[in-house]
C-alpha cells in the first residue's frame, strides 16, 4: 500500500506554484484550466472590436497589464484610455498599450476620474464596476460591454474554504444599476461549465495569484483543507471545478 505523503511533503510540492504566482506581473496568468464543456457562447474580444468600429473614444476599466485591451485595439485609431487600480500593473500596461496610442491612468475602478459623457464605448473584463459611474461616463448612443466572473465561480471550493469571498448577486445587481442609470440592456447571459486543473499545484497557483478569492490564503496554514480538496475533487481529468462567466451589453439612448 502506497504511503500517504506528509503535510510537509505536500507543502514542499506546492511551494514552486506559490513562488511562480508571486512573480506575476500584469495579468498574464500562467495557468489555464482545461474547459470540459463547450466554449463560451459569446466572444468578448470579437464583440468589443465590433463595437469599437463605431466609436471615437473607448475606456477599458481595470485593464490589468493591458493584455486583452491591446488585442481589441489592434489597428483601430480611436481615443483609447485604460484605468488600472493596482499601481504595479500601471507601467506594465503602459508599455504594452503605448504602441496603440492608448493612455493608462492609475484610478479606482469605482470612481472614474473622467468627465460626464466622455466615452462612446466602455469595456470591462473581470474588473469590478459601478453601474452609475459607467452610465455617467458614457456618451448618448454609447455602449458598455462587460464580461465578469460569476459569484458562484469555483463554488466547490467553499466547502473547503468557508471564508471564500461571497461577492453577492452582481450579475443581477449590475443589470439593475445600468437600467437605473438610463441604459438599455441588449444582452445578458450566464454560462457555467466544468473545468479541470491538472493538479493541486495549479489550484494553489490561482488562489495565490488571485488573493481576493480566499482571503489570507496560505499553503502551510491551509494544508489540511488543500489535502481534503485534492482527495475529494480529483478526477481522471484533474481537479474539477465549476467555472462561471457572464456577459452584459447595454447602450445609452441618444
Amino acid at each position: 500500500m502506497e504511503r500517504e505523503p506528509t503535510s510537509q511533503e505536500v507543502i514542499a510540492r506546492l511551494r514552486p506554484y506559490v513562488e511562480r504566482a508571486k512573480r506575476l506581473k500584469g495579468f498574464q496568468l500562467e495557468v489555464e484550466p482545461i474547459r470540459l464543456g463547450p466554449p463560451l457562447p459569446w466572444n468578448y474580444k470579437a464583440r468589443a472590436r465590433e463595437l469599437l468600429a463605431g466609436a471615437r473614444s473607448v475606456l477599458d476599466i481595470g485593464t490589468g497589464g493591458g493584455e486583452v485591451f491591446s488585442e481589441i485595439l489592434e489597428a483601430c485609431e480611436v481615443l483609447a484610455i485604460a484605468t488600472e487600480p493596482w499601481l504595479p500593473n500601471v507601467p506594465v500596461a503602459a508599455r504594452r498599450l503605448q504602441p496603440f496610442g492608448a493612455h493608462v491612468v492609475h484610478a479606482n475602478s469605482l470612481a472614474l476620474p473622467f468627465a460626464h459623457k466622455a466615452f462612446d464605448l466602455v469595456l470591462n473584463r473581470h474588473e469590478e464596476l459601478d453601474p452609475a459611474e459607467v452610465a455617467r461616463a458614457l456618451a448618448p448612443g454609447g455602449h458598455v460591454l462587460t464580461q465578469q466572473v460569476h459569484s458562484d465561480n469555483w463554488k466547490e471550493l467553499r466547502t473547503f474554504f468557508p471564508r471564500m469571498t461571497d461577492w453577492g448577486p452582481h450579475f443581477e445587481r449590475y443589470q439593475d444599476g445600468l437600467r437605473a442609470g438610463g441604459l438599455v440592456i441588449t444582452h445578458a447571459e450566464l454560462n457555467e461549465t466544468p473545468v479541470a486543473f491538472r493538479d493541486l499545484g495549479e489550484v494553489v497557483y490561482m488562489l495565490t495569484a488571485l488573493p481576493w478569492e480566499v482571503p489570507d490564503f496560505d499553503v502551510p496554514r491551509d494544508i489540511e483543507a488543500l489535502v481534503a480538496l485534492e482527495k475529494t475533487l480529483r478526477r481522471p481529468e484533474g481537479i474539477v471545478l465549476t467555472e462561471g462567466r457572464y456577459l452584459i451589453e447595454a447602450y445609452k439612448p441618444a
Side-chain angles (χ1 to χ4, degrees), residues 151-167 213:
S151 55
D152 277 342
N153 189 60
W154 302 345
K155 55 190 174 185
E156 295 83 359
L157 295 183
R158 199 171 296 279
T159 299
F160 308 95
F161 299 101
R163 70 181 189 275
M164 188 175 179
T165 302
D166 182 357
W167 301 104
E213 295 290 349

Side-chain angles (χ1 to χ4, degrees), residues 8 11 20 25 27 57-58 61 77 81 98 107 118 129 134 143 151 159 166 172 222 241 243:
Q8 290 305 312
I11 291 169
R20 282 170 57 196
K25 293 182 179 180
F27 211 72
S57 56
V58 57
I61 300 174
E77 294 185 3
I81 306 291
Q98 189 274 333
L129 62 82
V134 170
H143 290 76
S151 55
T159 299
D166 182 357
E172 296 79 11
D222 291 318
L241 303 177
E243 182 178 273

Side-chain angles (χ1 to χ4, degrees), residues 129-137 177-178 181:
L129 62 82
D130 180 344
E133 275 290 271
V134 170
R136 181 190 65 79
L178 292 171

Side-chain angles (χ1 to χ4, degrees), residues 27-28 32 49 80 89 119 145 169 177 188 213 219-220 244:
F27 211 72
Q28 194 70 52
E32 183 72 28
R49 291 189 195 104
N89 269 350
F119 299 97
L145 179 71
E213 295 290 349
V219 168

Side-chain angles (χ1 to χ4, degrees), residues 54-163:
R56 295 167 298 177
S57 56
V58 57
L59 170 65
D60 186 42
I61 300 174
T63 198
E67 295 88 353
V68 174
F69 195 34
S70 63
E71 294 182 39
I72 292 168
L73 287 174
E74 290 186 337
C76 293
E77 294 185 3
V78 295
L79 172 63
I81 306 291
T83 65
E84 173 54 32
W86 193 45
L87 187 57
N89 269 350
V90 172
V92 178
R95 285 193 295 271
R96 180 172 279 112
L97 295 173
Q98 189 274 333
F100 305 95
H103 305 278
V104 181
V105 178
H106 179 224
N108 186 322
S109 300
L110 303 181
L112 303 172
F114 306 110
H116 288 55
K117 306 175 184 178
F119 299 97
D120 297 322
L121 175 61
V122 174
L123 300 174
N124 179 309
R125 184 181 181 276
H126 300 183
E127 173 67 14
E128 62 180 347
L129 62 82
D130 180 344
E133 275 290 271
V134 170
R136 181 190 65 79
L138 199 60
H143 290 76
V144 56
L145 179 71
T146 181
Q147 177 179 295
Q148 295 284 344
V149 177
H150 191 254
S151 55
D152 277 342
N153 189 60
W154 302 345
K155 55 190 174 185
E156 295 83 359
L157 295 183
R158 199 171 296 279
T159 299
F160 308 95
F161 299 101
R163 70 181 189 275

